[in-house]
């Protein structure tokens, strides 16, 4: 009996030590959460006013993040060996699953509650149970899988392997690779419009890229190529999917592309080294890694609504909470 009590007490102590607390702002307004690459901080920003509600120092820098559900976020970076679970309701952060270093993108399949994590050291994609944090399967892919994107309608996962210069397509039902096709050197950024898979990138060494390509994911053929600014690395659309937005960190511009007219119809300069883009209603939000700022752009007029100073190295923009 004493041994059992001692064992349970030890487990309690270890769990308590590995779990940290995080203060979450008390507000009725919708807000988003921004991770930082240069310091272990989470920023909570009001989506209506653009005000920074709180900047919370945490034990780990969570550069790459994904929303697990309405109240929970998963996060990691390439140095950490764990993926961490941030619980907004309980105001806690704890290890969710231990894998090893080299982790980059996290994608969550809301239908199956499975989590997909790209691993650039082992060149695999890990499949994890989103409820328990247990490993389901590991799939070998091309060298340096740096980006992931789920197509919920056709239940497949796109895996961009930068060094292999290819995209692999994984069937989410059978958890097997069903197709692969070549892409450009040093590609980056994925967006799927239901027909084409849009990809940008930095370009080959000594040949900086200024284009995004629209691939047919079934054949791997390039169907369109659009000049989008120097080193386009972020691609998003408005809610109507009538316009795409291309974020380029080489010339720190955000461009608006009319899908029907097939041309660029607007452009605006944002901060230095922009890295992440998110669209909330009529505004496009951009994090500027080297300006330590957040740009809010009117998606219709393509004009700056507000530039917001923020903690060092803002990176990912995650979720919309208190909707």
């Amino acid at each position: 009996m004493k041994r059992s009590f001692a064992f349970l007490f030890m487990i309690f102590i270890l769990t308590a030590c590995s779990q940290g607390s995080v203060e979450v702002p008390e507000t009725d307004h919708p807000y988003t959460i921004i991770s930082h690459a240069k310091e272990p901080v989470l920023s909570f920003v009001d989506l209506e006013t653009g005000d920074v509600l709180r900047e919370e120092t945490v034990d780990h820098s969570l550069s790459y993040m994904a929303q697990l559900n309405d109240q929970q976020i998963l996060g990691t970076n390439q140095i950490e060996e764990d993926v961490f679970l941030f619980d907004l309701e309980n105001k806690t952060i704890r290890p969710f699953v231990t894998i090893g270093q080299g982790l980059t993108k996290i994608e969550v399949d809301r239908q199956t509650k499975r989590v997909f994590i790209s691993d650039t050291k082992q060149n695999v994609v890990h499949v994890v149970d989103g409820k328990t944090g247990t490993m389901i399967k590991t799939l070998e892919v091309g060298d340096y899988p740096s980006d992931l994107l789920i197509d919920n309608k056709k239940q497949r996962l796109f895996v961009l392997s930068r060094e292999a210069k290819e995209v692999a397509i994984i069937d989410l039902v059978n958890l097997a690779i069903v197709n692969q096709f070549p892409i450009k050197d040093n590609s980056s950024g994925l967006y799927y419009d239901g027909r084409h898979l849009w990809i940008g990138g930095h370009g080959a060494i000594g040949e900086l890229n200024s284009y995004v390509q629209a691939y047919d994911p079934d054949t791997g053929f390039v169907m369109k190529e659009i000049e989008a600014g120097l080193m386009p690395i972020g691609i998003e659309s408005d809610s109507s999917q009538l316009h795409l937005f291309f974020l380029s960190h080489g010339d720190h511009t955000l461009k608006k592309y009319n899908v029907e007219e097939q041309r660029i119809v607007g452009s605006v300069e944002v901060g230095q080294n922009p890295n992440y883009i998110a669209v909330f209603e009529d505004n496009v939000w951009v994090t500027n890694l080297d300006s330590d700022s957040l740009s809010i752009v009117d998606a219709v007029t393509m004009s700056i609504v507000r530039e917001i100073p923020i903690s060092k190295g803002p990176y990912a923009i995650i979720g919309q909470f208190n909707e």
Side-chain angles (χ1 to χ4, degrees):
M1 184 71 178
K2 288 182 178 179
R3 288 181 179 177
S4 297
F5 176 79
F7 176 75
L8 291 172
F9 180 74
M10 182 175 67
I11 294 296
F12 171 78
I13 292 296
L14 289 172
T15 302
C17 289
S18 63
Q19 179 170 287
S21 61
V22 181
E23 288 299 317
V24 177
E26 299 292 337
T27 179
D28 294 328
H29 287 191
Y31 64 88
T32 192
I33 299 174
I34 295 174
S35 69
H36 294 259
K38 295 182 180 180
E39 56 185 7
V41 169
L42 295 176
S43 297
F44 300 81
V45 184
D46 191 309
L47 282 170
E48 292 181 355
T49 66
D51 294 337
V52 178
L53 301 172
R54 185 178 184 87
E55 294 197 306
E56 179 76 2
T57 300
V58 292
D59 292 333
H60 310 276
S61 178
L62 307 177
S63 303
Y64 310 104
M65 303 176 71
Q67 194 169 344
L68 183 60
N69 53 49
D70 291 340
Q71 293 295 325
Q72 294 180 320
I73 296 169
L74 296 173
T76 190
N77 64 42
Q78 287 187 283
I79 298 174
E80 298 288 349
E81 295 187 350
D82 296 314
V83 174
F84 295 91
L85 177 68
F86 175 27
D87 192 305
L88 293 170
E89 185 175 10
N90 296 319
K91 301 179 182 180
T92 58
I93 185 168
R94 64 172 177 82
F96 178 69
V97 60
T98 301
I99 297 175
Q101 293 184 337
L103 307 179
T104 53
K105 192 67 181 291
I106 304 170
E107 278 283 284
V108 177
D109 183 355
R110 294 291 188 94
Q111 295 183 37
T112 63
K113 308 300 181 185
R114 289 172 174 169
V115 179
F116 298 85
I117 305 161
S118 54
D119 184 331
T120 59
K121 281 206 167 183
Q122 300 184 60
N123 296 322
V124 298
V125 172
H126 301 285
V127 187
V128 177
D129 188 308
K131 296 178 181 178
T132 65
T134 55
M135 190 71 68
I136 296 173
K137 191 171 184 178
T138 296
L139 297 162
E140 292 186 6
V141 293
D143 289 352
Y144 208 88
S146 55
D147 208 351
L148 305 174
L149 182 67
I150 286 179
D151 171 16
N152 288 302
K153 187 174 182 179
K154 293 188 177 180
Q155 276 292 281
R156 55 186 178 176
L157 176 74
F158 301 113
V159 183
L160 188 158
S161 293
R162 187 185 302 171
E163 293 184 3
K165 295 182 286 187
E166 69 176 24
V167 166
I169 300 177
I170 295 174
D171 183 325
L172 296 184
V173 177
N174 299 313
L175 295 180
I177 294 175
V178 294
N179 193 18
Q180 293 167 289
F181 59 86
I183 55 177
K184 304 288 186 178
D185 282 347
N186 215 2
S187 291
S188 180
L190 291 173
Y191 176 77
Y192 183 59
D193 63 8
R195 183 181 178 186
H196 298 129
L197 182 66
W198 295 79
I199 302 177
H202 300 80
I205 296 175
E207 299 177 13
L208 298 180
N209 174 53
S210 296
Y211 293 86
V212 294
Q213 287 82 30
Y215 291 84
D216 181 329
D218 296 321
T219 65
F221 295 157
V222 175
M223 308 306 292
K224 300 177 185 179
E225 188 169 63
I226 311 298
E227 191 167 3
L230 189 61
M231 293 190 284
I233 45 79
I235 307 167
E236 264 297 343
S237 76
D238 57 16
S239 58
S240 67
Q241 288 196 323
L242 294 177
H243 299 95
L244 296 179
F245 300 98
F246 304 137
L247 180 65
S248 300
H249 70 192
D251 56 9
H252 47 270
T253 61
L254 177 70
K255 287 183 167 55
K256 180 179 179 180
Y257 173 76
N258 187 300
V259 175
E260 291 185 354
E261 297 177 8
Q262 299 189 43
R263 66 185 182 94
I264 300 294
V265 293
S267 180
V268 64
E269 287 193 8
V270 291
Q272 295 297 311
N273 197 7
N275 265 270
Y276 208 94
I277 179 175
V279 179
F280 298 113
E281 295 184 353
D282 293 330
N283 289 328
V284 184
W285 289 46
V286 175
T287 53
N288 306 305
L289 190 72
D290 291 341
S291 294
D292 301 331
S293 66
L294 175 68
S295 299
I296 301 179
V297 178
D298 186 307
V300 178
T301 65
M302 289 300 287
S303 58
I304 299 290
V305 175
R306 189 173 177 186
E307 289 280 359
I308 304 166
I310 203 167
S311 288
K312 291 181 179 179
Y315 192 69
I317 305 171
I318 301 301
Q320 185 170 347
F321 304 94
N322 272 1
E323 294 182 77

